[in-house]
Amino acid sequence: MAELQILEFPDPRLRTVAQPVTVYDADLQGLVADMLRTMYTANGIGLAATQVDRHVRLLVLDVSESRDQPREYINPEIISREGEQVCEEGCLSVPGVYANVERAEHIRIRARDRHGIEFEEDASGLHAVCLQHEMDHLEGRLFVDYLSPLKRQMVRKRLAKQRRQAVQESAVGPAL
Ligand code: GNR
Ligand code: NI
């Protein structure tokens, strides 16, 4: 199992629309395992293949408190949605930025597991938020796209500044 590198906004590769999975082989199972490990290491509740530069319709999540309920969704589709909720969202591809986003409160999803077995599931609350957030990634959409252009510009500048500081700190070294 390997840990994968997570792309960060405004990397244009995050805008790629993912392709359906057609083959359920060992490569796919390896990717599911690597994505779960990457998600847990980064302390995320979800991860879409797009974020690790693999442009296939696959996402993983674990919204449990105990962090021991990994789930995978391949070729997911939302087949119904109901209600509205607003949640403060974050994203491993937009580190350090949090903003309120409105999403459906309840959704019903149809997807396949790593063996290609189709299932349907109802999701509410944070589980539903996370699924909608990850499915946006598969369409090349980020939660910051729901913010005003001015706020998105502020996010871009803040991330650029964070990166400059990180570079500077590593150049000065751990002594300071
Ligand atoms: O770890 C994550 N937390 C989170 C919190 C609120 C709404 C959505 C998320 S998903 C995010 C991980 C991530 O970036 N997945 O794409
Ligand atoms: Ni995200």
Side-chain angles (χ1 to χ4, degrees):
M1 279 210 294
E3 209 176 298
L4 306 170
Q5 201 193 326
I6 298 176
L7 301 178
E8 292 187 2
F9 176 76
D11 192 310
R13 292 171 289 182
L14 286 168
R15 299 308 185 177
T16 311
V17 177
Q19 297 297 311
V21 169
T22 53
V23 184
Y24 295 80
D25 59 2
D27 272 4
L28 179 74
Q29 293 169 25
L31 178 58
V32 170
D34 290 348
M35 284 175 57
L36 283 166
R37 164 181 278 223
T38 304
M39 176 188 78
Y40 285 123
T41 302
N43 290 316
I45 60 171
L47 188 69
T50 309
Q51 292 176 278
V52 293
D53 203 22
R54 297 290 303 263
H55 302 287
V56 293
R57 305 190 78 81
L58 159 63
L59 66 91
V60 296
L61 60 79
D62 186 342
V63 293
S64 71
E65 288 280 325
S66 45
R67 316 278 301 141
D68 60 356
Q69 284 169 54
R71 305 273 296 123
E72 78 245 15
Y73 299 81
I74 296 169
N75 299 341
E77 289 170 75
I78 295 175
I79 54 177
S80 66
R81 54 187 95 215
E82 219 176 292
E84 284 165 13
Q85 61 178 327
V86 175
C87 176
E88 185 173 68
E89 297 196 13
C91 181
L92 295 172
S93 296
V94 195
V97 174
Y98 302 89
N100 285 336
V101 178
E102 189 184 307
R103 309 250 188 211
E105 165 74 51
H106 307 279
I107 58 175
R108 186 165 181 83
I109 196 143
R110 181 182 295 145
R112 291 179 189 269
D113 68 14
R114 69 183 80 182
H115 307 293
I117 306 295
E118 190 176 271
F119 63 92
E120 289 187 13
E121 185 177 275
D122 292 306
S124 301
L126 186 62
H127 185 196
V129 167
C130 190
L131 277 167
Q132 291 170 85
H133 174 115
E134 305 312 337
M135 288 179 69
D136 270 358
H137 277 301
L138 301 181
E139 297 301 328
R141 273 195 302 270
L142 296 167
F143 82 103
V144 292
D145 298 345
Y146 299 106
L147 306 179
S148 69
L150 183 65
K151 279 193 179 166
R152 199 157 52 246
Q153 184 60 22
M154 284 166 56
V155 167
R156 208 176 272 129
K157 285 185 176 156
R158 184 143 117 229
L159 288 179
K161 187 174 172 188
Q162 278 172 23
R163 279 185 206 113
R164 278 199 305 276
Q165 283 176 344
V167 167
Q168 217 160 26
E169 274 156 27
S170 66
V172 171
L176 284 177

